[in-house]
Amino acid sequence: MRRGLVRRAAATIVLTVVIAPLPAGVARADAVRDAQWHLTYLDIATAHQLTRGAGVTVAVIDSGVDATHPDLVRNVLPGVDLADRDNDDAWTPEDHGTGVAGVIAAHGHGPGGGGGALGIAPDATVLPIRITTDDEEQQLAADLIADAIEAAVEGGAGVINISLSSGPTELDERAVAAARRNDVVVVAAAGNLPDAEAVTFPAALPGALAVGATDEDGDRTGFSVTGPELALTAPGDDIITTGVDDGYVRASGTSVASPIVAGAAALVRARFPDLSADQVIHRLVSTATDAGPSGHDEEFGHGIVDVVAALTAEVPPWRPVDPPDETRLAQWH
């Protein structure tokens, strides 16, 4: 089988996200929280009155995570480094993985945790699985994604976030299907124009929840790809999150929209621990705010994730596809 190349799901051929350090004035811990517009947009304060994600492990398949960042300390497990198998953990200070981890589980710092970055599920635990680096020139064998998914399942993850893309491989499809059988929610960035022309893999695989990006006005961003595989959209433009060296970055891309949905999945799993992974996804897509053409469409999927509704709404019961199919989630694509 031909081995593909891992790419990031974003604005250049290898980066999944446009990252820029914050100006000194905005990088103050108190100003960082004020600049996180997506928290207000999603009413995360109300969501956190219901749950903050405690007891849920979210695997971050990405570049390394700086677990010493003041907004992430104590929230990050040692993890697994598949990019450097001689490394004992995945605590490598790299912006991409650190930023994705922060979107999910940053807890802020300072008095009462009121400063710094706040994640969607700040009491969740991050399991970093490093398969790439922030080096734009490095491309790694795509079978590492399958290995990483397997490591995430073995590590006890209830949710997996993949803000990377590659060519389609049978190994990845099997790995996503195995994760689903093991009751794990797999969330993946859909990909960005102009480098991607359609929903990328593994997001396009059956069983994965493909996520596109919206802006502060609730419109699809100009870089977010479209396609029938798209399941949800979430804020993904000018998102402030954690960076290396105790810093912060401004990131745009489906790479930061995906961990918002992964964080929402962690909140749902924490609030409804008896729900299966399929039922968690059903709750997320059935409570999404419809956008674009009525119903599922190729620009927004089932709509923009509504975190509070996913935690509070009465939803119809999820029923498997009839006849049962272990790989496809037809009603979500």
Side-chain angles (χ1 to χ4, degrees):
M1 181 185 302
R2 182 177 180 273
R3 286 155 61 107
L5 297 176
V6 172
R7 305 185 190 279
R8 310 279 180 79
T12 71
I13 198 165
V14 288
L15 281 177
T16 64
V17 62
V18 178
I19 294 176
L22 295 184
V26 180
R28 296 194 326 271
D30 55 345
V32 166
R33 185 71 57 85
D34 293 340
Q36 291 188 287
W37 67 266
H38 65 285
L39 299 180
T40 302
Y41 182 90
L42 296 170
D43 195 9
I44 294 302
T46 297
H48 286 175
Q49 293 175 14
L50 303 169
T51 178
R52 290 167 58 91
V56 179
T57 297
V58 182
V60 171
I61 297 175
D62 215 286
S63 64
V65 173
D66 184 358
T68 68
H69 193 289
D71 296 350
L72 289 171
V73 67
R74 298 182 304 278
N75 274 25
V76 183
L77 297 171
V80 180
D81 192 341
L82 298 178
D84 179 3
R85 294 178 189 263
D86 292 329
N87 193 18
D88 291 336
D89 58 44
W91 289 11
T92 305
E94 292 171 321
D95 269 321
H96 197 272
T98 303
V100 168
V103 171
I104 296 168
H107 50 60
H109 68 280
L118 184 66
I120 303 299
D123 288 351
T125 301
V126 170
L127 175 67
I129 302 178
R130 183 173 181 255
I131 67 169
T132 187
T133 75
D134 282 346
D135 181 355
E136 295 187 16
E137 301 303 318
Q138 184 173 17
Q139 295 177 327
L140 302 175
D143 56 7
L144 284 180
I145 291 180
D147 291 346
I149 293 172
E150 181 179 351
V153 173
E154 291 178 351
V159 181
I160 296 173
N161 183 81
I162 309 174
S163 289
L164 303 165
S165 63
S166 70
T169 74
E170 189 174 325
L171 285 173
D172 289 352
E173 185 166 2
R174 290 176 183 171
V176 170
R180 183 187 177 199
R181 288 194 300 272
N182 281 279
D183 195 34
V184 181
V185 177
V186 179
V187 184
N192 295 353
L193 299 167
D195 302 298
E197 297 179 354
V199 177
T200 59
F201 293 88
L205 288 173
L209 195 63
V211 180
T214 56
D215 61 20
E216 199 166 353
D217 294 323
D219 298 324
R220 180 179 66 87
T221 64
F223 56 74
S224 187
V225 299
T226 62
E229 303 87 357
L230 198 66
L232 285 171
T233 49
D237 189 43
D238 284 337
I239 303 299
I240 309 301
T241 185
T242 46
V244 300
D245 299 325
D246 297 347
Y248 300 93
V249 295
R250 184 187 304 275
S252 295
T254 58
S255 281
V256 285
S258 179
I260 285 177
V261 172
L267 294 182
V268 173
R269 301 220 82 162
R271 182 159 169 81
F272 304 105
D274 293 332
L275 293 186
S276 69
D278 289 342
Q279 291 169 328
V280 169
I281 295 175
H282 172 64
R283 180 166 278 273
L284 290 169
V285 300
S286 64
T287 58
T289 301
D290 197 12
S294 180
H296 182 271
D297 65 80
E298 296 191 5
E299 290 193 10
F300 293 90
H302 292 274
I304 303 170
V305 67
D306 185 330
V307 181
V308 175
L311 296 173
T312 60
E314 294 288 336
V315 300
W318 177 80
R319 294 182 175 85
V321 177
D322 189 21
D325 186 321
E326 283 297 314
T327 61
R328 294 214 63 84
L329 304 176
Q331 67 269 53
W332 296 331
H333 283 179

